[in-house]
Amino acid sequence: MRADILLAAPQGWTLAEVKSSGAVKAHHPTDVAIQRWVIDGMREGSGLRIARTELWRVDTDWTYRGDGRYDGLLVRELPGDGAVIAYNAQFERGVIERLADVCPELASALRGIAGRLFDLLPVVRAHYYHPDMRGSRSIKAVLPTIGTGLRYDELDEVQDGTAAQAAYLEAVAKGTGTARRGELDAALRIWIPAILE
């Protein structure tokens, strides 16, 4: 078995399965899951740590302009069904709904995601407590206690959503130099998997 795309990141590799269809089909998530299962099973011999698994598809509206650039040809896809796991889904749902309001071309897909959110916060409240949480159920208190090896206070420049927004805005600003943009990119790439795992 060969992976379509393996992208290196500080926390591990991103495995991307690319489908040459314009839409996600019911069997595509299973294909990705099988690839991940096989690669995880080979990890001891290969040392390959998969941090993320993604499904990509071809954008059938994309047109090649003859300039040697293929940006936009592949679309990272979230399957159209199944749960989208969140922590404090009420907050996440509100953010997604506001995004849908300001991005009408994505509103249907965004509202579909909002409707599929599964909230882990009530599960933690009802079934999990560790003394190191010190009475808090915030994700920053819970993560270090569940053996993930993740601690927000060990992250460098980007440690929370506010810092992530500031880093993004600085990175896309016209006056930001290449070296600084690279630093911000690296910090965001460390923070994003930390909040998703």
Side-chain angles (χ1 to χ4, degrees):
M1 174 177 287
R2 292 184 183 184
D4 289 337
I5 297 176
L6 283 170
L7 299 171
Q11 300 75 32
W13 292 84
T14 295
L15 165 67
E17 170 75 359
V18 180
K19 295 301 182 183
S20 60
S21 66
V24 174
K25 296 188 172 121
H27 66 278
H28 289 169
T30 303
D31 291 349
V32 177
I34 290 170
Q35 269 201 19
R36 172 73 184 256
W37 180 77
V38 169
I39 290 172
D40 280 347
M42 299 180 337
R43 181 173 20 182
E44 285 185 24
S46 69
L48 194 65
R49 180 183 178 275
I50 303 294
R52 293 178 55 91
T53 305
E54 298 180 355
L55 176 61
W56 296 8
R57 65 170 177 80
V58 173
D59 180 356
T60 56
D61 293 327
W62 182 83
T63 303
Y64 179 62
R65 295 187 180 115
D67 58 1
R69 297 186 58 176
Y70 294 87
D71 299 345
L73 172 62
L74 298 177
V75 177
R76 290 179 170 178
E77 191 68 53
L78 186 64
D81 60 356
V84 176
I85 299 172
Y87 197 86
N88 191 0
Q90 180 179 357
F91 171 79
E92 302 298 341
R93 189 173 290 109
V95 171
I96 292 170
E97 290 292 340
R98 287 191 298 280
L99 276 172
D101 291 341
V102 297
C103 301
E105 71 280 6
L106 300 174
S108 177
L110 288 167
R111 289 196 170 99
I113 292 168
R116 295 173 19 226
L117 290 177
F118 175 81
D119 197 349
L120 288 178
L121 181 56
V123 176
V124 170
R125 283 184 178 146
H127 302 287
Y128 183 76
Y129 184 76
H130 189 282
D132 289 346
M133 291 165 45
R134 296 186 174 102
S136 173
R137 296 295 196 283
S138 82
I139 191 75
K140 293 177 185 179
V142 174
L143 272 181
T145 70
I146 59 175
T148 63
L150 298 174
R151 296 182 52 91
Y152 273 82
D153 59 358
E154 292 175 354
L155 296 174
D156 289 327
E157 185 164 356
V158 178
Q159 294 188 2
D160 57 33
T162 302
Q165 291 173 22
Y168 174 77
L169 290 173
E170 183 182 347
V172 299
K174 288 182 182 177
T176 304
T178 304
R180 177 65 179 148
R181 188 170 283 127
E183 291 170 4
L184 294 165
D185 178 73
L188 286 165
R189 289 178 186 270
I190 292 169
W191 178 74
I192 290 171
I195 63 169
L196 295 177
E197 287 186 356

